[in-house]
């Protein structure tokens, strides 16, 4: 978990991971981390190209939005399938419908990102400054990979699969701090309404936007009275 958290921290902060390290991650069963890096690289490249076009007043109708939509399709499909593989599960029509809805919702926001870049890029002093400025917005899109991966794990877990809430390497909100290390059955996490990411997530004080926590299948002992504990945490956040 520590190695994976460190790699995800690097990806989230735009630090390129050497190919040798990514190959090693595949060998030890962390291929989804390499896929996350690929998704990061693809989205970053598309945004950088778009910024260059905007600063050079090159108008390419529809190109950025279409290319980004294709990248989202490929990346989030891989994220979902990686989550299913974590539970040795195979795609079903029901889960495909859930994934299709997630991807459709993500694509709805492409015009907003496109307009943000159009407003911001020409005002930056340099292309490098524009790319750096865009990184905070772009990181939200990239982190969607982790969100979809976690949703697939939770959706495909059997009711009595034990899942542990594990920190990502980022600044944590009060809710995630309380949840870190807790082990509960998949059905208990679902019943409590507590899930990592899934922005805007009303169950977390951080709202899930930059959350990098995960629910990871585990053989650890389930915490005692965990459902009541999770419901209490959820109630604190909702004000119940």
């Amino acid at each position: 978990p520590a190695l994976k958290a460190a790699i995800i921290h690097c990806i989230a902060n735009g630090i390129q991971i050497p190919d040798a390290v990514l190959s090693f991650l595949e060998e030890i069963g962390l291929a989804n981390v390499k896929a996350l890096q690929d998704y990061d690289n693809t989205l970053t490249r598309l945004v950088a190209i778009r910024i260059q076009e905007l600063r050079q007043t090159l108008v390419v109708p529809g190109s950025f939005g279409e290319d980004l939509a294709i990248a989202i399709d490929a990346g989030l499909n891989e994220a979902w399938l990686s989550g299913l593989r974590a539970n040795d599960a195979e795609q079903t029509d029901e889960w495909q419908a859930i994934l299709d809805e997630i991807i459709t919702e993500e694509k709805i926001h492409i015009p907003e990102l496109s307009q943000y870049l159009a407003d911001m890029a020409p005002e930056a002093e340099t292309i490098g400054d524009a790319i750096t400025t865009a990184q905070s917005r772009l990181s939200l899109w990239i982190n969607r990979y982790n969100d979809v991966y976690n949703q697939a794990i939770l959706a495909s877990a059997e009711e009595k699969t034990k899942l542990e809430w594990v920190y990502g390497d980022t600044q944590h909100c009060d809710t995630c701090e309380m949840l870190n290390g807790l082990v509960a059955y998949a059905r208990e996490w679902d019943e409590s309404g507590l899930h990592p990411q899934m922005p805007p997530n009303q169950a977390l004080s951080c709202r899930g936007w930059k959350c990098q926590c995960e629910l990871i299948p585990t053989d650890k002992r389930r915490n005692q009275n965990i459902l009541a504990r999770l419901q209490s945490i959820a109630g604190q956040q909702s004000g119940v």
Side-chain angles (χ1 to χ4, degrees), residues 1 4 25 54 57 61 76 80 83 114 119 153 183 193 203 226 228:
K4 183 176 181 181
L25 292 173
L54 290 165
T57 64
L76 298 190
W80 183 269
S114 183
D119 293 339
I153 286 179
V183 177
I226 188 60

Side-chain angles (χ1 to χ4, degrees), residues 170-224:
T170 187
Q171 185 174 355
H172 305 293
C173 69
D174 293 342
T175 316
C176 292
E177 286 183 355
M178 289 187 285
L179 294 171
N180 184 47
L182 295 185
V183 177
Y185 291 136
R187 63 173 175 79
E188 292 172 322
W189 286 111
D190 192 46
E191 185 174 342
S192 71
L194 292 165
H195 311 101
Q197 286 123 24
M198 296 181 68
N201 189 337
Q202 301 303 317
L204 304 179
S205 57
C206 64
R207 296 297 183 261
W209 291 109
K210 293 189 176 182
C211 178
Q212 293 180 23
C213 297
E214 294 182 271
L215 283 173
I216 297 178
T218 182
D219 292 327
K220 293 181 181 179
R221 183 186 298 274
R222 171 178 165 271
N223 293 98
Q224 290 186 340

Side-chain angles (χ1 to χ4, degrees), residues 48-81:
I49 290 172
R50 185 55 180 157
I51 286 173
Q52 290 177 323
E53 292 173 347
L54 290 165
R55 290 182 63 84
Q56 297 168 8
T57 64
L58 297 176
V59 180
V60 185
S63 178
F64 173 71
E66 292 171 5
D67 291 344
L68 184 58
I70 291 170
I72 289 170
D73 267 325
L76 298 190
N77 264 285
E78 178 56 33
W80 183 269
L81 294 176

Side-chain angles (χ1 to χ4, degrees), residues 178 231-240:
M178 289 187 285
Q231 289 173 330
S232 175
I233 293 172
Q236 291 176 38
Q237 184 57 37
S238 64
V240 176

Side-chain angles (χ1 to χ4, degrees), residues 39-205:
Y39 192 54
D40 182 319
N41 289 342
T42 299
L43 266 58
T44 300
R45 177 178 57 81
L46 290 174
V47 167
I49 290 172
R50 185 55 180 157
I51 286 173
Q52 290 177 323
E53 292 173 347
L54 290 165
R55 290 182 63 84
Q56 297 168 8
T57 64
L58 297 176
V59 180
V60 185
S63 178
F64 173 71
E66 292 171 5
D67 291 344
L68 184 58
I70 291 170
I72 289 170
D73 267 325
L76 298 190
N77 264 285
E78 178 56 33
W80 183 269
L81 294 176
S82 292
L84 296 187
R85 287 194 291 269
N87 286 326
D88 294 322
E90 295 183 359
Q91 185 71 299
T92 66
D93 290 343
E94 179 182 357
W95 289 339
Q96 184 63 54
I98 294 173
L99 175 59
D100 290 344
E101 184 175 346
I102 291 171
I103 291 175
T104 297
E105 175 63 26
E106 191 76 352
K107 289 179 180 178
I108 287 174
H109 300 288
I110 289 177
E112 297 173 20
L113 178 61
S114 183
Q115 187 60 52
Y116 165 75
L117 296 175
D119 293 339
M120 178 274 295
E123 300 299 323
E125 290 190 13
T126 67
I127 289 178
D129 288 342
I131 292 173
T132 299
T133 300
Q135 190 63 45
S136 61
R137 181 74 64 93
L138 183 58
S139 67
L140 301 177
W141 289 75
I142 293 167
N143 200 40
R144 189 67 158 149
Y145 181 101
N146 289 323
D147 175 32
V148 173
Y149 174 76
N150 281 314
Q151 287 194 56
I153 286 179
L154 193 58
S156 60
E158 295 182 2
E159 284 195 355
K160 290 203 171 183
T161 296
K162 289 184 289 185
L163 301 174
E164 179 184 8
W165 190 289
V166 177
Y167 270 161
D169 190 359
T170 187
Q171 185 174 355
H172 305 293
C173 69
D174 293 342
T175 316
C176 292
E177 286 183 355
M178 289 187 285
L179 294 171
N180 184 47
L182 295 185
V183 177
Y185 291 136
R187 63 173 175 79
E188 292 172 322
W189 286 111
D190 192 46
E191 185 174 342
S192 71
L194 292 165
H195 311 101
Q197 286 123 24
M198 296 181 68
N201 189 337
Q202 301 303 317
L204 304 179
S205 57

